[in-house]
Amino acid sequence: MAARKYIYFFGGGKAEGTAEMKGLLGGKGANLAEMAGLGLPVPPGFTITTEACSEYYHLGRKKLFSLISGQLDKSLKKLEKVTGKTFGRGPRPLLVSVRSGAAVSMPGMMDTVLNLGLNPETCRALIEQTGNERFVLDSYRRFIQMFGDVVMGVPHHHFEQELDAVKRSRRIQLDTELDIDALQEVIRRYEKIYRRDTGKAFPTDPKRQLQAGIDAVFGSWNNPRAIKYRQLNDIRGLKGTAVNVQTMVFGNSGENSATGVAFTRDPSTGEHRYFYGEYLINAQGEDVVAGIRTPQQITRRGSREWAKSQNVSEAERRKKYPSLEEAMPAVFKELDAIRVRLEKHYRDMQDLEFTIEDGTLYMLQTRNGKRTAAAAVKIAVDMVKEGLISEKQAVLRIEPQSLDQLLHPVFIKEAEEKAVRLTVGLPASPGAATGQAVFSAAEAEAWAEEGKQVILCRIETSPEDIGGMNAARGILTARGGMTSHAAVVARGMGKCCVAGAGALNIDYRDKKFSVNGTAVREGDWISLNGSTGAVYAGSVETVAPKLSGPFGQIMKLADKYRRLGVRTNADTPHDTTVAVKFGAEGIGLTRTEHMFFEGDRIVSFRRLILVAETVKRLKDDCGCAGLKELKKAVAGNKQALEAISQYQQGLRELLPLQRRDFEGIFRALKGRPCTIRLLDPPLHEFLPQDAAGQKEMAGVMGVKVSRIKYLVESLHEFNPMLGHRGCRLGITYPEVTEMQVRAICEAACRVAGSRPEIMIPLAGNVKELSSQKQIIERVIAEVSAAKKKKLSILIGTMIEIPRAAVTADEIAREAEFFSFGTNDLTQMGCGFSRDDAGKFLGEYVQKGIYEYDPFQVLDQDGIGKLVEMAVKLGRKTRPDLKLGICGEHGGEPRSVEFCHRVGLNYVSCSPFRVPIARLAAAQAALRD
Ligand code: ADP
Ligand code: MG
Ligand code: MG
């Protein structure tokens, strides 16, 4: 059996891999191969597969290396041949980078080592060859630092301290000002630090350096930052990272060399007015993103806009920060042509890394660029217009969940104009954020945990800050450009970010920053505009965003391709209006009980509850069904009569209030359907549980506190979610159902075109339905006759009890529609209390017992089966049965896809998730 191929070569105009092989070669490796195959100037190298990484974890490092060592030696030989250099010896020493790269890009998550292969001997040869001692020493000190940090875990700042000390003693500020002598001192100090921290001398054998480098990259796959990143981004099922070993090219070899990163379109807005990117002359690798020096722009136009925003004069800009277009026009032209070519080739916006060595351009990376949701939408819409992609591809290209970013507020213009502007940084990730300043990631997490909204303020961010960045409303940094860690990660998270606000003087020790004479301390409110880079003192008011433009166009396309309807869950005219604006085609769930809590309605309802049981008992005792009959039967019993009239009084008070609510909602719906659920929660939820509240209620009702206490106790349930609620209430207190239905019918008579649908909650047995349906049909007929209006109102039920799902054929005899209440169905189907499951569900998900929290993502294997079964059984009885879902899952993309698959008619979700559901539904239809 031939040994498995663990290493793929690229370079010399050829490549063994392609862009399609991301799973095996990682994104970086697959795209390097693709670019090399296209004949672009890619430094040659090879990729060790993700399968090798997986073996590393299965077999251990020793076995892995013996498994791949033959292929590794061969690949190195080939690399030497292609480059004409030799690894670790000879007059033209070969230096390589060792780069990580998984199938999904994880910026900054794993570690890269540059300049590997340097030692005193190769340094000498390289100085001989290049005649540039300064450059060689600069590369060597970088190598010691990176190898020490990444491979051996020597803290980065131990090296930084030494570097700073040397710079200070020589009174210089920039790394580029370090001369040969200074660099030699830095190297001596670095070697000392290395020996001190690792207990070993710096390894001079390049083969051992390489092996250790590969080992470290594989090891970094499971470092805490990488694990956290995968968790936060829900990245699963990958084999591991690939390792790319690639010939070094040097952007730090002098003034005719440079390194940079660029986007083929603006990753914040999606615009492509010019070529977006940044570069630094005489710099290496991550200098651009590390925020050590101020990066320069690629194009003259971009450079001028940047200078304007930073208050840099044109003369100063040209002298100190010229664009690549101005500084190296020929290279710029070549790079611009590659940009156009790559975008056409990949048919998507690309994020590029390049290096210029002595005037020669090299491409070091390309990938589909991370972008904000706004940019994603604009790019997709533009690319359809440009003929690069089809409408369907455009719809499929946008992550439904990301639309959330576009639905959230931006600053009110006037409020922003009035706000005190502290400074302007770079508009790194758009949106508006207001919060209290905190100065460390840990604090951001802790404050957010307490429910506070915070802005994370850092000199610059690093991968360790991920958790804090995620917890913060916005991120503010003093250093770094548009491609700095903070900017890239914030855009990925859809979080507002202002980066590189150079005027900020951040003091971590005293937890404050000062800027242009103002001090902001921990806990002070500040506001960020991620679209302009402005930083304001205090909190600035926000408004809803614009839903037209590219967003509107994408939604239109989504509607063109989706087959699933999208409704909303809304209890008020306001929420209804918002949802209709977001494209809701009706209401899938109105919860009437929410209306009972508003204002003094609760008083009317409590009055009713106070006597409800008495009335019920009287009815049972007399064997009377109706209140009229009961009144006659108890004539003379003053107490009984009083209770009955108080009960009726409560109902009378509630009727017009409910009617008004429904009228408002029907008006907001403008002829769209509206599913209304009858009273659902247990009665004790409407009573005060604390002593003060009970005293107050007693006062309002004019009864003794003891009576209220007794009432609360008598309504107490051990397991209220399985208690006296849902249609069980309607069966015990039919007058409440009657009142609600009357309010619905009367409201429908008043608002032309209204289309109510009445939904009976929590049925588990078809007889519960028949009993409630009798009342509902009777009231509809009564109102219809009284108002002389024909009312056609569908009567249906929630499917939220497993028994209802498995007897759906019977249920469908009575119900004209089903709406899957998947919150309760999950609770009862999995046996997880919604209120208590938080204690263990996290662990369950972590251990993979459930793939996702089943309350967030529908458990398709279990609860989904109940849904499917109910769909089949229900439609068997009633082929035109209307089916929807109104649980939280109705706005969750994976669950929406499931609903499409099992043939529901619509999903219903909270207003802000309506656009997400529309897009998810379209994607489900396109993936069919
Ligand atoms: P990341 O995944 O963090 O972007 P990379 O592997 O892309 O890490 O490398 C980090 C930096 O080093 C990038 O700026 C990249 O362009 C640069 N780099 C990587 N390999 C080489 C090389 N062979 N020659 C020159 N620069 C390199
Ligand atoms: Mg990196
Ligand atoms: Mg990179």
Side-chain angles (χ1 to χ4, degrees), residues 289-360:
V289 294
I292 296 165
R293 273 155 62 194
T294 307
Q296 292 153 238
Q297 302 292 306
I298 302 282
T299 59
R300 183 190 285 122
R301 205 162 143 199
S303 181
R304 289 203 169 130
E305 286 188 13
W306 166 85
K308 216 171 119 199
S309 79
Q310 299 299 304
N311 265 328
V312 170
S313 74
E314 174 63 12
E316 189 187 351
R317 180 195 75 77
R318 239 177 316 169
K319 190 162 149 252
K320 278 199 180 139
Y321 311 104
S323 65
L324 185 68
E325 190 175 0
E326 293 157 297
M328 303 180 184
V331 177
F332 168 77
K333 251 188 154 159
E334 193 187 347
L335 181 64
D336 198 40
I338 289 176
R339 157 182 85 113
V340 173
R341 180 149 175 222
L342 282 177
E343 201 177 77
K344 280 222 173 95
H345 183 74
Y346 284 97
R347 295 169 188 275
D348 201 351
M349 186 263 272
Q350 297 296 297
D351 168 353
L352 313 172
E353 283 176 11
F354 63 91
T355 281
I356 299 158
E357 179 182 297
D358 295 326
T360 305

Side-chain angles (χ1 to χ4, degrees), residues 290 642 759 856 898:
E642 217 164 79
M759 180 156 76
Q856 283 169 26
F898 170 84

Side-chain angles (χ1 to χ4, degrees), residues 864-875:
K865 281 232 176 79
L866 286 171
V867 173
E868 259 184 289
M869 182 176 198
V871 168
K872 283 209 187 89
L873 289 173
R875 286 223 169 108

Side-chain angles (χ1 to χ4, degrees), residues 527-844:
S527 302
L528 308 179
N529 185 334
S531 312
T532 64
V535 181
Y536 300 101
S539 79
V540 179
E541 220 183 318
T542 54
V543 273
K546 219 174 82 196
L547 300 175
S548 51
F551 175 80
Q553 287 161 14
I554 270 293
M555 291 322 296
K556 216 161 124 191
L557 287 182
D559 290 347
K560 180 168 165 186
Y561 292 106
R562 78 183 152 91
R563 296 200 292 279
L564 198 58
V566 177
R567 294 193 188 186
T568 191
N569 300 347
D571 307 333
T572 64
H574 173 263
D575 283 1
T576 308
T577 306
V578 170
V580 167
K581 253 198 235 144
F582 287 157
E585 297 160 305
I587 286 182
L589 174 65
T590 286
R591 285 158 291 209
T592 48
E593 61 271 12
H594 283 199
M595 304 170 179
F596 287 173
F597 282 106
E598 229 172 81
D600 39 321
R601 302 164 176 213
I602 189 77
V603 175
S604 307
F605 196 50
R606 283 176 176 173
R607 221 188 282 288
L608 181 147
I609 296 173
L610 195 58
V611 292
E613 268 200 272
T614 312
V615 172
K616 162 85 176 134
R617 201 167 349 99
L618 288 170
K619 273 208 243 168
D620 289 348
D621 290 350
C622 309
C624 300
L627 293 180
K628 258 195 206 145
E629 205 186 326
L630 181 63
K631 268 183 167 168
K632 271 189 212 139
V634 299
N637 179 344
K638 206 171 141 232
Q639 247 185 337
L641 281 173
E642 217 164 79
I644 298 168
S645 73
Q646 186 174 337
Y647 188 68
Q648 285 180 310
Q649 169 74 14
L651 290 167
R652 253 201 310 276
E653 282 171 13
L654 286 169
L655 175 72
L657 297 173
Q658 288 245 286
R659 190 174 57 215
R660 211 179 327 128
D661 291 331
F662 294 135
E663 276 181 60
I665 290 175
F666 293 163
R667 284 213 176 84
L669 277 171
K670 299 197 172 78
R672 296 175 181 85
C674 179
T675 307
I676 300 166
R677 178 178 74 185
L678 301 178
L679 188 64
D680 183 58
L683 293 185
H684 61 79
E685 280 193 13
F686 299 92
L687 297 178
Q689 304 296 315
D690 59 316
Q694 290 172 357
K695 203 171 146 206
E696 192 199 324
M697 177 172 164
V700 174
M701 306 275 130
V703 297
K704 286 208 188 104
V705 183
S706 57
R707 171 126 181 250
I708 306 289
K709 280 209 176 103
Y710 174 76
L711 177 71
V712 171
E713 269 160 38
S714 71
L715 288 177
H716 171 79
E717 292 176 322
F718 285 102
N719 209 335
M721 285 303 106
L722 301 176
H724 198 185
R725 56 175 287 223
C727 64
R728 299 160 200 172
L729 286 174
I731 286 168
T732 313
Y733 307 113
E735 297 81 11
V736 176
T737 300
E738 218 177 294
M739 178 276 289
Q740 291 202 294
V741 174
R742 193 172 297 278
I744 294 168
C745 294
E746 290 182 2
C749 289
R750 290 180 181 205
V751 181
S754 36
R755 287 161 62 195
E757 302 166 346
I758 295 176
M759 180 156 76
I760 299 162
L762 216 75
N765 184 316
V766 67
K767 288 179 192 152
E768 293 172 303
L769 284 184
S770 359
S771 136
Q772 286 286 288
K773 218 176 137 186
Q774 249 175 19
I775 303 171
I776 297 169
E777 282 176 337
R778 192 193 78 230
V779 176
I780 294 176
E782 279 171 19
V783 177
S784 187
K787 306 280 173 198
K788 301 201 175 57
K789 274 223 166 99
K790 195 177 145 6
L791 289 168
S792 60
I793 297 178
L794 291 183
I795 302 171
T797 187
M798 304 264 293
I799 301 288
E800 46 192 338
I801 290 184
R803 191 182 190 284
V806 301
T807 60
D809 47 348
E810 290 171 31
I811 301 272
R813 282 210 310 271
E814 295 289 351
E816 292 169 296
F817 65 86
F818 288 173
S819 178
F820 290 95
T822 44
N823 298 346
D824 261 314
L825 194 58
T826 300
Q827 169 164 269
M828 294 189 223
C830 297
F832 293 156
S833 157
R834 262 196 273 170
D835 309 298
D836 302 315
K839 286 195 192 125
F840 56 85
L841 266 187
E843 193 185 336
Y844 264 43

Side-chain angles (χ1 to χ4, degrees), residues 107-112 286:
M109 283 300 109
M110 283 175 299
D111 303 295
T112 292
E286 308 226 292

